[in-house]
């Protein structure tokens, strides 16, 4: 098989949460370029329309859907809409996420709940929604979760974020076991620092200059640094025997003990 065929996603229907910026924006472009019909989901729909136009300008197929992943009913509605437009979603990228940087003792109940709802609960509900529909349609598929190196390690002032992403890492493995019998694979990323809006203020601050010394590659990542890993997990032909894996992409940052 030629390498180009290995990563061909023609006929796949991909739903990407949080497609309005950063990693989700890039993921949608990459999946569409490989032939998937992409459903772009987020709250900021005007941004999604811009992305849809970009994708269509180079021959791709995209549809925008307004989605606040903290709204359980809106998740069902988004999948209904995706299905009506392109058919059963066969490739789900659980990417929407947020961070709140605070010491645990300063975190309010509302902030805790909001963060867990967007970063963890939504991954559960979207995965459940996607897998039930794939099973009903009798189609194999792939679920890709965006965890974080902070789901495997911890950092000060990011405790709830780390907890929310650790749950995503465990969810990836637990669902991989249960969904394997339906030929649905579940894998995930654990990215290190990738330059996007979520960390723009930090990466532009003097504190980041100190942090970069802890990255063996001496740089932060760009969204394009995840392209190959995304396609590996997305393509049944490329990684059909791989499920329950969390792939770390962090320039080596999480390797050294000091
Ligand atoms: N960048 C990094 O260094 C890094 C490292 C590890 C993991 N991650 C993870 O990567 C994912 C993408 O983050 P990013 O770096 O691309 O940050 P970003 O540029 O801030 O993008 C976050 C995306 O999530 C969406 N989102 C947030 N809350 C939402 C909600 N309630 N409903 C629907 N969508 C929501 C946003 O869309 P709307 O605001 O339009 O809804 C936006 O598109 C997150 O899960 C993040 O935790 C990032």
């Amino acid at each position: 098989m030629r390498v180009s065929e290995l990563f061909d996603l023609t006929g796949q229907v991909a739903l990407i949460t949080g497609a309005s910026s950063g990693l989700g924006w890039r993921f949608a472009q990459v999946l569409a370029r490989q032939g998937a019909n992409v459903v772009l989901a987020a709250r900021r729909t005007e941004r999604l329309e811009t992305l849809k136009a970009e994708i269509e300008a180079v021959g791709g197929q995209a549809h925008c859907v307004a989605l606040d992943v903290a709204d359980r009913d809106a998740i069902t509605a988004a999948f209904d809409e995706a299905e009506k437009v392109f058919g059963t979603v066969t490739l789900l990228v659980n990417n929407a996420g947020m961070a709140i940087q605070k010491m645990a003792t300063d975190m309010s109940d509302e902030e805790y709940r909001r963060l867990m709802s967007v970063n963890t609960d939504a991954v559960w509900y979207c995965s459940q929604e996607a897998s039930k529909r794939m099973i009903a349609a009798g189609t194999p598929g792939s679920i890709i979760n965006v965890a974080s190196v902070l789901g495997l390690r911890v950092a000060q002032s990011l405790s709830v974020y780390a907890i929310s992403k650790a749950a995503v890492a465990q969810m990836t493995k637990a669902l991989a076991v249960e969904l394997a019998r339906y030929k649905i694979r579940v894998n995930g990323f654990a990215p290190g620092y990738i330059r996007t809006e979520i960390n723009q203020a930090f990466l532009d601050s003097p504190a980041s200059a100190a942090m970069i010394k802890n990255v063996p590659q001496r740089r932060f990542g760009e969204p394009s640094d995840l392209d190959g890993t995304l396609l590996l997990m997305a393509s049944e032909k490329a990684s059909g025997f791989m499920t329950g894996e969390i792939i770390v992409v962090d320039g080596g940052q999480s390797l050294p003990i000091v």
Side-chain angles (χ1 to χ4, degrees), residues 7 26-27 30 189 223-235 238 247 249:
F7 299 105
R26 178 77 188 183
F27 293 158
V30 171
F189 285 107
S224 60
D225 282 310
L226 301 177
D227 291 358
T229 315
L230 173 75
L231 290 178
L232 174 72
M233 293 190 283
S235 168
I247 301 181
V249 186

Side-chain angles (χ1 to χ4, degrees), residues 25-228:
W25 182 287
R26 178 77 188 183
F27 293 158
Q29 286 179 321
V30 171
L31 296 174
R33 207 180 302 142
Q34 290 307 114
N37 290 343
V38 293
V39 181
L40 314 170
R43 293 167 302 177
R44 288 171 294 177
T45 49
E46 68 293 347
R47 284 188 178 213
L48 298 180
E49 291 295 344
T50 305
L51 175 58
K52 174 177 150 64
E54 276 188 22
I55 289 170
E56 289 176 346
V58 291
Q61 293 284 330
H63 178 76
C64 305
V65 57
L67 174 64
D68 179 344
V69 293
D71 178 345
R72 178 66 189 87
D73 293 339
I75 290 174
T76 303
F79 276 83
D80 282 344
E81 191 173 327
E83 212 164 284
K84 212 185 299 169
V85 176
F86 288 136
T88 308
V89 171
T90 54
L91 187 46
L92 167 66
V93 186
N94 279 312
N95 165 77
M98 59 177 288
I100 300 175
Q101 201 164 358
K102 276 189 178 177
M103 296 293 274
T105 45
D106 295 330
M107 189 76 85
S108 72
D109 292 355
E110 290 70 28
E111 288 168 327
Y112 172 83
R113 192 74 312 278
R114 175 92 193 136
L115 215 157
M116 293 301 287
S117 161
V118 171
N119 286 12
T120 306
D121 300 356
V123 178
W124 173 260
Y125 293 131
C126 288
S127 301
Q128 214 182 26
E129 196 71 50
S131 54
K132 281 184 178 176
R133 289 167 189 253
M134 283 189 251
I135 293 164
T139 173
S142 172
I143 297 175
I144 299 173
N145 295 329
V146 183
S148 167
V149 286
L150 285 172
L152 311 173
R153 310 279 299 268
V154 291
Q156 192 164 289
S157 298
L158 283 165
S159 58
V160 184
Y161 182 81
I163 292 163
S164 72
K165 294 296 188 178
V168 170
Q170 277 296 73
M171 203 188 303
T172 303
K173 296 176 194 179
L175 293 184
V177 169
E178 293 194 10
L179 297 175
R181 72 201 70 181
Y182 303 109
K183 297 190 168 47
I184 300 169
R185 299 177 304 111
V186 190
N187 292 290
F189 285 107
Y193 280 94
I194 314 288
R195 210 171 272 285
T196 67
E197 287 172 27
I198 210 171
N199 51 30
Q200 197 169 358
F202 171 69
L203 295 187
D204 290 340
S205 75
S208 80
M211 163 87 76
I212 214 163
K213 297 202 178 94
N214 298 327
V215 183
Q217 288 190 353
R218 295 290 189 273
R219 71 175 179 97
F220 296 120
E222 300 296 331
S224 60
D225 282 310
L226 301 177
D227 291 358

